[in-house]
Amino acid sequence: MASGIEFEEDSENKGSMWVLDQKLDQPMDEEAGRLRNMYREKKFSAVLLLRLAFQSLGVVYGDLGTSPLYVFYNTFPRGIEDPEDVVGALSLIIYSLTLIPLLKYIFVVCRANDNGQGGTFALYSLLCRHAKINTIPNQHRTDEELTTYSRTTFHEHSYAAKTKRWLEGHASRKNMLLILVLVGTCMLIGDGILTPAISVLSAAGGIKVDHPGMSNEIVVLVAVVILVGLFSMQHYGTDRVGWLFAPIVLLWFLVIGGIGIFNIWKYDSSVLKAFSPVYIYRYFKRGGRDGWTSLGGIMLSITGTEALFADLAHFPVSAVQLAFTVVVFPCLLLAYSGQAAYLVKNQDHVVDAFYRSIPDSIYWPVFVVATAAAIVASQATISATFSIIKQALALGCFPRVKVVHTSKKFLGQIYIPDINWVLMVLCIAVTAGFKNQSQIGNAYGTAVVIVMLATTFLMILIMLLVWRCHWLLVLIFTGLSLAVECTYFSAVLFKVDQGGWVPLVIAAAFLIIMYVWHYGTVKRYEFEMHSKVSMAWILGLGPSLGLVRVPGIGLVYTELASGVPHIFSHFITNLPAIHSVVVFVCVKYLPVYTVPEEERFLVKRIGPKNFHMFRCVARYGYKDLHKKDDDFEKKLFDNLFMFVRLESMMEGCSDSDEYSLYGQTEQSRDCLLNDNGNTNSSNLDLTISSVDSIVPVKSPLHASNTVTSSGHTSNQTEGDELEFMNNCRSAGVVHILGNTVVRARRDSRFYKKIAVDYIYAFLRKICRENSVIFNVPHESLLNVGQIFYV
């Protein structure tokens, strides 16, 4: 493919910008065109949309669909006193399903996805792209040029601009927003523990219905065996068994819908009057405080709604909406109405309402389907937990853990071994500890309502800042959401001592871990920022320390996207020698779903050419993975060598006043490189360098420089430098990583000492090392230790 160089003026920065331009003598690369359109809204054919809606049933709706197993028992744990209470509870269930899953989530919240990604961190990433609220300020304006970095602009005097200024006004607001996201995330992790417990235990309870003499311990044992098998199979990934999920869940919905129709016809069709909201008023008037606290059981009818949003990743919103409105919603209404009709005539069967209402002729087939559906629901919730922990890890809010990619087709299907076993132990502890659905249901409701409240507050900011909705629409959404969710929240507070404390304890433990880790990460970044040294200081060290260059390439890992890290100055101060080629490598995560491979690396030169010092920034999204087969080192060198070639080509056309190889000041130029050589470039920063005082590298470059009449090095230089760098690479590559130890100052408060000296230190000790994440060979690793106090 023929290529040319085009010189453009960057009006924003009043500087020069170099863009490698593809000539029009051959068609545009189809892959590049596909990538540009990947994240635009797609229109699907009717057949494809139906197929995607069918597949979404198994992944998205398993948790919500198994709620009929345990809702009525948790609503009436002390039994039913008046048949009219059943109708009132059914009316509450109908309107809860309509207001929360249907109206709020399916038609509003799901539209707030981040390029198809859902969950609290996806909402947070959207906000981070529209306002400077990241607690780790490692982003640059060039990051906004990414294909996946979609954002909108707004008028200075608009509500969006006012919201943006309000969020950015104080650091405390940014921290409170982060804590809100972490609370929602921790409660969703609690959901991942409680969903398998209550779903599997409720499904296993069907054995006891057919064998009344069986002890409850046997049912718990069966549930524990199923849970152990479920968590033991997680390492296979959902991709291998996922083809079974959709048929199982579809069959489940058709079965419960059909049983519902049968029970309405057989027992009492008058329960359909529950569609009138009048019966809600009568229910509360008749029940008083007990009616109000029973909302904790009604709340379970909409559990799985938040998991619905978190599991949005692999399906278009239109397919998820179609599946809910056509299959899920009507089948759930029929299932609950059928159970209500049965309970009106059989009030003493409320403990096992679902299994008691099944016709005897199909009891065991339905039991098998129910157990399979409970396993699918648990699988979807566990996968969502892995996903959100990966997102938290990417944003510096969770200790580094091993992440295994289980599917070559889907980026979001991952497995985290450490978290899997922790979830299994906690899930078995909850199941064996409570031994009944009621207390687990109380805990489950507490977790779900807090996650929903967190989502509501984030959606208010999304509607103001991202969607720029009229304040009246925001007010309507906020009023309806908070009216329902605060009502439920007030009800679950009455049951904190009856099992509701479990998710609070679990969430508190995870919140402490996540916030302390994030605090330590921020302090480490601030330390690097404040202690970074200028290029003038580094370049001036040569003669005074007798700094020498040794064969090979040194990759210095740092969290800084600009400046020279303190570990490098610490290293050469104690050992006055550096490698012939030095590359500062910064791996950073951005608030985007993914960074396309061809836009991942950002390369620049530091100092004059004969210093052979470079910076390479590798950018990832919160769904991207460092996999061993990615060959990170090879891709880094491919982009580095491509940069050298492009730099030489651009030199021949540049103005010597703009870019000086050996001047007092040097303008840095950054090139976004892809594997085909396409580049988008921009000015990252100005690197101020002093006189050429560092000991130059004795390379072929100095013996064979030829200079053109305009004073620029010819393309012969490029070949010589590339040959020299290849020789250095053959001599050996050394990975230099900082091993920073964080300690609290002596005059710090006791809780800070506990958090930093004990909790953070313990987490650093048990988490994975950076060398393992970057797949650094042990023989090529050099750790530079340092201690700093916060």
Side-chain angles (χ1 to χ4, degrees):
M1 181 180 293
S3 300
I5 299 294
E6 180 181 350
F7 184 73
E8 295 183 358
E9 185 71 12
D10 184 359
S11 59
E12 180 180 349
N13 294 284
K14 304 300 181 184
S16 299
M17 184 168 78
W18 294 101
V19 179
L20 186 67
D21 179 54
Q22 290 182 323
K23 292 297 184 183
L24 299 176
D25 54 355
Q26 81 176 57
M28 181 185 296
D29 186 7
E30 293 181 2
E31 182 68 10
R34 183 186 68 82
L35 287 167
R36 272 199 292 271
N37 295 309
M38 182 184 297
Y39 298 100
R40 294 178 182 174
E41 185 178 356
K42 297 178 181 178
K43 293 184 178 179
F44 300 92
S45 66
V47 176
L48 179 59
L49 189 62
L50 287 173
R51 182 167 66 86
L52 290 171
F54 167 71
Q55 292 175 348
S56 71
L57 288 172
V59 177
V60 176
Y61 293 112
D63 191 4
L64 187 65
T66 53
S67 295
L69 286 169
Y70 44 77
V71 168
F72 276 108
Y73 169 55
N74 285 276
T75 304
F76 302 107
R78 300 175 186 174
I80 300 172
E81 297 179 0
D82 189 333
E84 285 295 307
D85 289 344
V86 177
V87 179
L90 176 60
S91 186
L92 281 167
I93 291 172
I94 291 171
Y95 283 97
S96 295
L97 284 170
T98 303
L99 291 174
I100 301 299
L102 182 64
L103 296 181
K104 179 186 174 183
Y105 277 85
I106 292 298
F107 291 109
V108 180
V109 177
C110 282
R111 290 185 57 243
N113 64 85
D114 181 19
N115 286 320
Q117 296 300 305
T120 50
F121 269 109
L123 298 179
Y124 184 64
S125 69
L126 278 174
L127 293 173
C128 286
R129 295 208 297 269
H130 287 79
K132 296 177 181 178
I133 56 175
N134 244 346
T135 50
I136 303 179
N138 63 346
Q139 293 183 51
H140 191 269
R141 65 170 187 82
T142 51
D143 299 331
E144 300 174 11
E145 299 171 5
L146 290 171
T147 307
T148 52
Y149 202 104
S150 57
R151 59 177 296 180
T152 56
T153 57
F154 34 78
H155 192 270
E156 185 179 356
H157 300 292
S158 63
Y159 285 110
K162 293 177 182 177
T163 305
K164 180 177 183 292
R165 288 194 293 269
W166 181 81
L167 282 175
E168 297 173 351
H170 296 280
S172 60
R173 292 169 189 165
K174 300 177 185 179
N175 288 327
M176 288 302 297
L177 183 61
L178 177 66
I179 291 174
L180 177 66
V181 173
L182 293 182
V183 167
T185 302
C186 293
M187 284 298 173
L188 202 55
I189 294 173
D191 192 3
I193 296 168
L194 296 169
T195 296
I198 192 170
S199 298
V200 173
L201 185 61
S202 300
I207 303 175
K208 192 175 179 181
V209 173
D210 194 65
H211 298 80
M214 183 179 294
S215 66
N216 193 53
E217 282 72 18
I218 300 296
V219 175
V220 173
L221 182 61
V222 171
V224 168
V225 170
I226 294 174
L227 288 172
V228 171
L230 173 64
F231 282 99
S232 298
M233 292 190 299
Q234 289 300 312
H235 68 279
Y236 291 110
T238 57
D239 190 39
R240 298 189 181 183
V241 292
W243 60 275
L244 281 173
F245 288 1
I248 289 173
V249 177
L250 178 61
L251 179 61
W252 167 252
F253 278 118
L254 294 178
V255 165
I256 62 175
I259 293 174
I261 294 174
F262 173 78
N263 287 332
I264 293 170
W265 170 76
K266 180 178 180 180
Y267 293 103
D268 191 354
S269 60
S270 66
V271 294
L272 296 178
K273 62 187 178 182
F275 281 88
S276 170
V278 173
Y279 290 91
I280 296 177
Y281 168 75
R282 293 180 180 177
Y283 178 77
F284 286 130
K285 183 179 180 181
R286 185 171 52 253
R289 185 177 184 274
D290 290 340
W292 191 265
T293 55
S294 69
L295 286 174
I298 302 292
M299 176 75 198
L300 299 181
S301 64
I302 55 176
T303 55
T305 306
E306 194 64 39
L308 174 159
F309 181 47
D311 281 327
L312 197 61
H314 305 302
F315 304 99
V317 175
S318 54
V320 174
Q321 292 172 335
L322 180 65
F324 186 84
T325 53
V326 174
V327 177
V328 178
F329 187 63
C331 287
L332 285 176
L333 292 183
L334 289 172
Y336 287 118
S337 299
Q339 283 190 48
Y342 177 83
L343 288 174
V344 167
K345 301 298 182 182
N346 303 274
Q347 299 174 33
D348 55 335
H349 290 172
V350 68
V351 176
D352 304 301
F354 175 77
Y355 283 112
R356 295 278 189 179
S357 65
I358 299 173
D360 293 338
S361 58
I362 60 170
Y363 180 84
W364 285 109
V366 174
F367 171 78
V368 173
V369 175
T371 305
I375 293 173
V376 171
S378 304
Q379 172 67 50
T381 310
I382 294 167
S383 300
T385 304
F386 292 156
S387 178
I388 61 174
I389 287 178
K390 171 64 179 70
Q391 294 177 20
L393 192 153
L395 293 174
C397 296
F398 203 85
R400 295 183 296 270
V401 290
K402 182 179 181 180
V403 178
V404 180
H405 201 203
T406 61
S407 172
K408 294 182 179 180
K409 299 177 182 177
F410 303 111
L411 188 64
Q413 293 189 3
I414 58 176
Y415 166 65
I416 305 178
D418 301 332
I419 300 300
N420 183 65
W421 304 125
V422 170
L423 291 179
M424 186 186 78
V425 170
L426 292 175
C427 189
I428 291 174
V430 168
T431 305
F434 286 142
K435 298 182 181 179
N436 67 77
Q437 302 173 27
S438 180
Q439 289 182 314
I440 300 177
N442 295 338
Y444 198 13
T446 304
V448 170
V449 72
I450 293 177
V451 177
M452 288 183 175
L453 284 169
T455 300
T456 298
F457 290 124
L458 290 173
M459 278 301 302
I460 294 171
L461 295 176
I462 292 288
M463 294 177 77
L464 288 171
L465 190 60
V466 181
W467 292 351
R468 292 174 290 170
C469 296
H470 193 277
W471 65 269
L472 191 58
L473 291 175
V474 179
L475 191 62
I476 293 172
F477 172 82
T478 306
L480 288 175
S481 298
L482 291 182
V484 177
E485 290 160 8
C486 288
T487 302
Y488 279 124
F489 183 67
S490 66
V492 299
L493 288 178
F494 288 104
K495 298 189 176 183
V496 169
D497 61 335
Q498 302 172 34
W501 56 270
V502 173
L504 299 179
V505 172
I506 294 173
F510 276 99
L511 182 62
I512 290 172
I513 291 172
M514 295 172 76
Y515 191 77
V516 168
W517 183 263
H518 181 73
Y519 177 80
T521 302
V522 170
K523 290 301 179 183
R524 283 176 49 234
Y525 181 81
E526 289 177 353
F527 171 77
E528 287 211 38
M529 282 292 294
H530 295 152
S531 61
K532 68 180 181 180
V533 294
S534 65
M535 274 305 301
W537 186 83
I538 291 293
L539 299 179
L541 285 177
S544 60
L545 290 182
L547 197 61
V548 296
R549 308 297 289 268
V550 295
I553 297 179
L555 300 180
V556 183
Y557 289 83
T558 174
E559 295 184 8
L560 300 179
S562 62
V564 177
H566 184 261
I567 61 166
F568 183 69
S569 62
H570 184 66
F571 172 67
I572 64 174
T573 300
N574 291 276
L575 182 64
I578 57 175
H579 295 85
S580 299
V581 177
V582 176
V583 183
F584 296 105
V585 181
C586 171
V587 176
K588 69 175 182 177
Y589 284 88
L590 302 176
V592 295
Y593 162 58
T594 184
V595 176
E597 193 72 32
E598 69 283 352
E599 300 180 46
R600 178 148 295 158
F601 291 92
L602 195 67
V603 182
K604 69 180 285 186
R605 185 185 293 276
I606 297 178
K609 269 194 173 183
N610 62 330
F611 295 163
H612 295 292
M613 298 176 72
F614 302 88
R615 183 185 315 285
C616 180
V617 180
R619 303 175 295 183
Y620 290 85
Y622 55 79
K623 277 288 187 177
D624 291 326
L625 292 170
H626 289 295
K627 296 181 294 181
K628 288 187 177 181
D629 56 350
D630 268 346
D631 206 354
F632 177 81
E633 182 182 312
K634 179 181 180 298
K635 291 180 179 179
L636 187 149
F637 284 123
D638 287 345
N639 283 274
L640 182 62
F641 294 161
M642 182 64 69
F643 170 81
V644 173
R645 296 191 190 99
L646 294 176
E647 183 190 46
S648 179
M649 290 178 359
M650 288 188 286
E651 250 172 45
C653 302
S654 67
D655 183 353
S656 60
D657 291 335
E658 290 291 337
Y659 185 86
S660 174
L661 283 179
Y662 300 104
Q664 291 290 331
T665 62
E666 173 182 321
Q667 184 151 7
S668 306
R669 297 172 298 167
D670 300 271
C671 295
L672 242 61
L673 303 174
N674 65 18
D675 295 335
N676 299 322
N678 301 331
T679 176
N680 293 318
S681 63
S682 56
N683 301 317
L684 250 180
D685 56 16
L686 292 176
T687 302
I688 308 300
S689 59
S690 67
V691 293
D692 185 4
S693 58
I694 198 169
V695 178
V697 181
K698 294 182 179 180
S699 71
L701 176 62
H702 302 104
S704 60
N705 281 350
T706 58
V707 181
T708 63
S709 58
S710 60
H712 294 288
T713 310
S714 72
N715 285 344
Q716 182 182 355
T717 306
E718 169 212 328
D720 293 336
E721 186 173 19
L722 287 175
E723 181 182 355
F724 170 72
M725 292 173 67
N726 274 314
N727 291 337
C728 290
R729 186 180 179 185
S730 301
V733 178
V734 177
H735 300 256
I736 304 172
L737 276 75
N739 188 14
T740 307
V741 178
V742 183
R743 290 284 184 267
R745 293 192 182 96
R746 291 184 179 180
D747 58 346
S748 299
R749 297 181 183 272
F750 75 94
Y751 56 81
K752 185 175 180 180
K753 290 182 179 180
I754 293 174
V756 175
D757 293 346
Y758 295 98
I759 300 177
Y760 183 74
F762 174 74
L763 294 175
R764 280 292 300 268
K765 186 177 181 180
I766 65 173
C767 77
R768 300 189 92 204
E769 295 291 337
N770 274 325
S771 58
V772 178
I773 294 175
F774 297 137
N775 196 28
V776 176
H778 185 70
E779 61 275 9
S780 302
L781 175 63
L782 179 61
N783 271 314
V784 180
Q786 54 185 348
I787 301 176
F788 75 92
Y789 294 88
V790 297

